[in-house]
Amino acid sequence: MEAAAIALIVAVVFGVFIMFAVASSAADRRRREGLADWARTQGLAYAEQRPDLVRRFSGTPFRGGRGAKAKNVLSGRWRDRSVTVYEYSYTTSSSNGQTTTTTTHKFTIVAVATGATPVLQVKDKHLGHRLLDLIGIGDLELGDEKFDERFHLQCDDAAFARTALDQDTRRWLGSRPDVVPFRLSGDHLVLWTNGTLPPERIRNRVDAAVDLVERLLSPVDGPVGD
């Protein structure tokens, strides 16, 4: 009797697992089909996966975990600029000594080709940045009290940062939390956000990225490549 009960429990658990797996697979398929259909209406190409994009960019959020993937990739011209949008994910594991928990981290990446630029990154400031500021070893500041208080800036060319982030652009960034964080990677503007986005939000995200490029740089671009 006890063996029969155990077998029943195992069968139920297995059945639930299969049910969730099938539902997840169906949801993934619907998402792929929806993105591919939307891409066609926008004149963009769709690829289910692009392994070449996994290590194409460095820095946050591309430097963590294992099993990194770049999938559901949309690419092409947008407002006469070369753009690539994709879902980037990786996994991490943590253990309390008894059980191990695996977490999948997902991001939506928007990359707009820019031509050659210095590396420039703008993120919201957190407590660690503020503590470094207090002891005088913080990163570059622009002399704009509101901007310097709110944003953490890293750049390998201070003169370029001051030119790109002029007063009008700083004011615009203060009203556009949807474009921070961002990084000029040396040949692309990269925006990232947690999670995945439905097609109707991708349009706004790409428009915001192109708006930012047009404020930061002169109009030069090229395709995403190795």
Side-chain angles (χ1 to χ4, degrees), residues 50 52-53 56-57 73-76 82-86 110-114 187-190 221-226:
R50 283 271 304 270
D52 61 298
L53 290 175
R56 176 60 181 82
F57 301 107
V73 184
L74 314 177
S75 59
S82 178
V83 301
T84 305
V85 184
Y86 60 101
V110 178
V112 182
T114 60
D187 56 7
H188 285 78
L189 173 79
V190 180
D221 72 350
V224 171
D226 293 326

Side-chain angles (χ1 to χ4, degrees), residues 55-62 86 109-122 154-156 160 181-192 212-213 216-217 222-225:
R55 293 181 175 82
R56 176 60 181 82
F57 301 107
S58 58
T60 308
F62 304 102
Y86 60 101
I109 309 298
V110 178
V112 182
T114 60
T117 71
V119 175
L120 166 66
Q121 178 173 278
V122 176
Q154 291 177 295
C155 187
D156 55 7
F160 170 79
F182 71 83
R183 182 188 305 109
L184 288 171
S185 70
D187 56 7
H188 285 78
L189 173 79
V190 180
L191 269 63
W192 65 96
L212 179 56
V213 168
L216 294 172
L217 304 170
V224 171

